Amino acid sequence: MTPYDHSKIEKKWQKYWESKKIFRASDDIKKKKFYSLIEFPYPSGDGLHVGHIRSNTAMDIISHKRRMEGYNVLYPIGWDAFGLPTENYAIKTGIQPAVVTKKNTDTFRRQLKALGFSFDWSREINTTDPKYYKWTQWIFLQFLKKGLAYKKKMAINWCPKCLIGLANEEVVDGGCERCGTPVVQKEKEQWMLAITKYADRLDKDLDDVDFLEKIKIQQRNWIGKSEGAEIEFSLKGDSRKIKVFTTRPDTIFGVTYIALSADHELASLATKGLKAINPATKEEIPVMVTDYVLSDYGTGAVMAVPAHDERDADFAKKHNLPIKEIVLQDKKEMTEKFGKVVTKYKLRDWIFSRQRYWGEPIPVVHCENCGIVPVPEKDLPLKLPKVKNYKPTETGESPLAEISKWVNTKCPNCKGKARRETDTMPNWAGSSWYYLRYVDPKNKKAFASRVNLDHWTPVDWYNGGMEHTTLHLLYSRFWHKFLFDLGLVPTSEPYQKRTSHGLILAKGGAKMSKSVGNVVNPDSIVKAVGADALRVYEMFMGPFDQHIAWDENGIVGTRRFIEKVWKLREKVAAGDKVTIHKTIKKVSEDIENMKFNTAISSLMIAVNDLEKSTSVSRADYSTLLQLFAPFAPHVCEELWVNLGNKKSIFLSTWPSYDSSKITDSVVKVMVQVNGKVRASFEVSPETDEESLKKIALDMPEVKKWTEGKEIKKIISVKGRLVSIVI
Ligand code: ANZ
Ligand code: ZN
């Protein structure tokens, strides 16, 4: 048999799959569908990261398995290509972002194709393509129409280095997410999207989706739903009232002062010695101003209970305010008596403008007569004009503001003088609905046809990074719900199932970074040992949901394993007897649970066992190839065809197992009492000695002999025996 030549084999099958369109999703609505999704990559200048490969391979495996189970699978790919790094590169080099993006996506495409992923490349999308962002702009106009996009003058987080407004989510420990420069506050008119209008549904509907529990928890914490009461405190010598938000109306008898945020309308009065009345005790209590009360949460005012709240206690001690011990009251009763039931959220509306070039232009004009006027839908896409200088202006406006030919326009409404909006959308815009475009990527009349949406959505399984749980995932759920309310998509949730993967770290556990020089280049690995070896390594390196450090010795090991599978071909003899039922079961179940590493372990065990015998049945070998194909598609396709199969292995049927044949997964353990066998039980051969003892002692047949007796000695032998001496 010829030696295993990975580069020849891998290229050959990549070409074959593409020319035969094996992985194209068909829009045939009669077939049962499966929509699997990864987060489409940002095409950075660094090329594909090994971390991309981990997520892509995982969903590739699941997609292959579903195809072999008879599903019509959609596994698409595209580019989330607007964003700062490309723009910063353009500022530095003067090369147009569109040109840079083209170059970077070409690299990514080549790299992804070299890894043999089963994407449907005919549906490739790019968020910076005007044919795509036409619909991003169109959706924005729907938000505007419904009053959910609005302008607001507000203090925004401003990075004085990047000269850009940042969403709260983009501020990390008080610094800019990208450059670390301390963020300052700056007053600016901003476009906002009213995500808070959907806060309740974004929280509640998590009950109906199959997201990992930790993902649900993160989303819920971010939304921050809090049920409590609003209670009004009257003031001494002033007819106004202070409304507080509390989750502890049961502590009302312990309120010894009111705390206001610095922005509260009564803050200036409070500093002059304002007094409030506790409605429960009628006591006069002071009103204080403090920065531990946030201005943009609840009512910006707190009834302080130093005996039951730590922050209140700290403040009270510092300012010599009374701390009053009390008996807690009934919550419901106190709410009825003094307050009104309210629900508050931590979630804030989404700051949707950026003063940057490389984003979707916000399609509105400012007319001297009519105010804000949307660009007519028939005029979309509103294309990004070419500029010479990509740097934001000193005033913080986007570089678009300097192109007077573009900025000065006519009002679509009154034909009078108007100025175009020069803010662009944040890079979260295009990714908020991209999974909808995949189902009908070339549609010119709508973002996707209803027939295709009905067929394909929701996404059945979406895997992505934990770092996107609070932003991208929440934003896209919000857009989806909005489109659902407009009757434009069939379901209220976009993703039925969401999982996430751990990061791949550099050797030793540090983060991979270009500046440290510890980034692993997938190209050289593919060249040296092949895409299959790299894919298998990334699935084998550790539990999928955990962070894991790179180790090139591991790739040597997976390469060797592939060679073993290759060589096993020499032992294949006729025969249709399948013996590897246990492996089928284990691999099938492990894939569903994303336990890819243990799936590969069981394939390794099976190969070791088969190697020991003088010959391997053709059926066993075929089954082995089918189970391994999702992980190592090229080599398995080659070996499959070598066996004389005429059609691609991915058009074959996923192996099924006969559970009655899976016998060696349990062993019978005998229980002796004083040397006589009194009982037996079945367990996995791996069960440890201590557990065996415990099982034995709990059995009624054993208790019959040991009840009321002193146990002098108990020994157990793994997989065989428990012996009790009384
Ligand atoms: C009295 C009290 C007594 C409270 C007690 C807590 C414990 P969550 O669950 O996060 O919603 N609070 C209300 N508005 C605030 C603001 N703008 N800034 C800072 N704190 C604020 O927390 C609600 C509780 O946080 C409220 O209940 C209020 O203090 C405080 F033993 O009222 B509590
Ligand atoms: Zn006008």
Side-chain angles (χ1 to χ4, degrees), residues 226 245-248 251 292-294 297 300-303 305 308-309 311 346:
S226 180
F245 172 64
T246 177
T247 48
R248 298 292 307 274
T251 63
Y292 79 81
V293 177
L294 308 171
Y297 183 61
V302 170
M303 59 176 227
V305 188
H308 288 272
D309 183 280
R311 285 173 310 176
K346 297 264 154 45

Side-chain angles (χ1 to χ4, degrees), residues 520-551:
V520 174
N521 179 355
D523 287 348
S524 57
I525 299 171
V526 169
K527 195 158 175 239
V529 292
D532 284 341
L534 175 54
R535 294 170 54 122
V536 175
Y537 169 63
E538 291 212 12
M539 292 298 102
F540 188 55
M541 66 194 297
F544 183 66
D545 60 347
Q546 282 165 35
H547 301 336
I548 195 99
W550 193 261
D551 171 15

